[in-house]
Amino acid sequence: MHLLVCGGAGYVGSHVARVLDARGHRVTVLDNLSTGHAEAVRWGRLVEADILDVDSLEAAFHGQRFDAVLHFCARSLVGESVSAPYDYYENNVVGTLNLLRVMRRHAVDRIVFSSTAAVFGNPVAALIDEDHPKAPINPYGASKLMVERMLADAAHAYGLRSVCLRYFNAAGASAEDGIGESHKPETHLIPNLLRALINPAAPLKVFGQDYPTPDGTCVRDYVHVLDLADAHVRALDHMDGAPGAHAFNLGNGTGFSVMQVIRAAERVTGLPVPFEPAPRRAGDPPVLVAASQRARDILGWSPVYTGIEDVLRTAWDWHRAPAF
Ligand code: UFG
């Protein structure tokens, strides 16, 4: 298949491009390089275009025949979404609507959409499955849920086939392929923790010590970015026999607290993690853990990196010598 990977210069998108290429697909990456890295586009051609610029999107589709689109372009910082909601609704909702309209004009009728655990808001169950209530608590999660709704409506109206993949905490890297996690600013736990190891003068801040969890720090479900990538390939295959709009939660189903991640990183690296307590970060739910049985049953998805140490080892390989 010839696949358009929108946002393919970013963290998850670049790993998906790598796996699609390895499975024999032809990849074209569309990215505005606002947060992505040209160095991460190592599989397929890079088209610089912006989902908020319809002319640039039209130009990217002109003369091409894409079999499907995988869509990763998004603003994705929870805290920033609270202070700048218009930017989030514009980029994530209006930008996606632009992309869907251009796809329709060019008769591309399949999309895999990068969604998030943030569509659920504060969990009301220990394990979050697809039927869990969707009540986002920040504009980021709300913007992703709006797109999920658009895709469901487009399935009815236009016959668009879609799969929404709701990632829990994407983590890890593929250092041997020269790709890994590199955000500016970096807000995620594992990169910040590994940077603190490399530069002990800037200790990791542990946000909140009084959550209702066994050690008082937040619990998350860390899922390897290559396992996420594998789910995208399966989602593409799934659409062959499944018209309509579908959604799957992707996580390992096991939660680790911030302190457990710190201790696991110390075991993996053999180095002490310098850290200090800090106040709670706004918008952080205490516990987010996925129930991914639907992805296992229907997509045949089975994550390879099931232990937190496996995930951390690959992230450490990248952070010791990042290529960008
Ligand atoms: N944390 C720290 N110190 C840091 C960074 C993070 O203690 O320097 C803590 C956070 O408070 C949180 C945990 O580590 O408890 C994980 O934080 P991340 O920023 O790595 O990830 P989030 O759980 O905030 O983000 C994930 C997804 C988002 C999604 C969000 C929903 O990456 O896409 O869950 O809450 F929106």
Side-chain angles (χ1 to χ4, degrees):
M1 286 195 276
H2 185 191
L3 301 166
L4 182 66
V5 182
C6 297
Y11 172 46
V12 182
S14 60
H15 287 79
V16 171
R18 176 245 186 236
V19 170
L20 291 172
D21 177 80
R23 309 275 171 98
H25 296 297
R26 179 177 164 208
V27 171
T28 295
V29 169
L30 182 152
D31 205 295
N32 68 359
L33 300 180
S34 62
T35 55
H37 307 271
E39 302 93 319
V41 184
R42 306 190 53 208
W43 301 273
R45 188 170 62 98
L46 170 63
V47 178
E48 279 193 61
D50 193 320
I51 56 173
L52 292 177
D53 174 357
V54 175
D55 290 343
S56 76
L57 277 180
E58 281 288 352
F61 277 70
H62 184 75
Q64 303 292 326
R65 179 74 197 102
F66 299 119
D67 296 294
V69 170
L70 299 103
H71 177 32
F72 303 91
C73 304
R75 287 178 170 261
S76 62
L77 300 179
V78 168
E80 186 184 66
S81 79
V82 175
S83 53
Y86 288 173
D87 291 347
Y88 275 68
Y89 292 116
E90 181 175 44
N91 196 86
N92 297 0
V93 182
V94 177
T96 301
L97 181 58
N98 290 341
L99 176 63
L100 293 174
R101 281 190 189 279
V102 173
M103 284 173 60
R104 185 161 145 73
R105 275 198 287 277
H106 291 263
V108 180
D109 65 353
R110 294 177 187 211
I111 184 168
V112 182
F113 175 61
S114 171
S115 191
T116 169
V119 300
F120 296 108
N122 283 321
V124 296
L127 291 177
I128 302 175
D129 67 13
E130 289 78 4
D131 299 324
H132 185 284
K134 285 146 205 94
I137 56 171
N138 51 62
Y140 169 61
S143 71
K144 291 283 184 172
L145 187 57
M146 286 177 187
V147 172
E148 290 200 9
R149 177 61 198 257
M150 282 201 300
L151 293 174
D153 291 340
H156 288 293
Y158 312 126
L160 180 71
R161 295 184 183 212
S162 64
V163 175
C164 297
L165 297 176
R166 302 185 187 123
Y167 319 146
F168 280 61
N169 285 63
S174 187
E176 61 273 28
D177 293 308
I179 49 174
E181 189 168 10
S182 176
H183 298 112
K184 281 197 183 84
E186 187 53 77
T187 63
H188 293 101
L189 175 65
I190 291 177
N192 281 348
L193 180 162
L194 297 175
R195 286 177 187 191
L197 276 177
I198 291 164
N199 176 18
L204 174 74
K205 288 186 172 17
V206 175
F207 298 135
Q209 290 74 46
D210 58 351
Y211 285 100
T213 59
D215 65 20
T217 62
C218 287
V219 171
R220 294 288 183 273
D221 183 339
Y222 295 90
V223 55
H224 199 279
V225 66
L226 287 176
D227 284 327
L228 293 179
D230 175 65
H232 289 74
V233 180
R234 291 171 186 276
L236 286 170
D237 293 343
H238 178 66
M239 283 191 287
D240 279 342
H246 307 271
F248 298 93
N249 294 357
L250 299 180
N252 275 309
T254 311
F256 294 92
S257 72
V258 173
M259 284 312 302
Q260 285 177 314
V261 176
I262 289 174
R263 297 305 175 211
E266 292 181 334
R267 288 194 295 278
V268 166
T269 64
L271 297 168
V273 175
F275 68 90
E276 61 190 24
R280 287 184 177 200
R281 190 173 69 175
D284 277 345
V287 181
L288 282 177
V289 182
S292 294
Q293 199 56 43
R294 187 186 286 181
R296 290 170 185 272
D297 290 346
I298 296 179
L299 301 181
W301 183 62
S302 180
V304 173
Y305 298 86
T306 51
I308 188 68
E309 293 186 17
D310 298 335
V311 173
L312 282 164
R313 201 165 286 117
T314 69
W316 180 229
D317 286 346
W318 163 256
H319 278 277
R320 271 188 297 189
F324 46 83

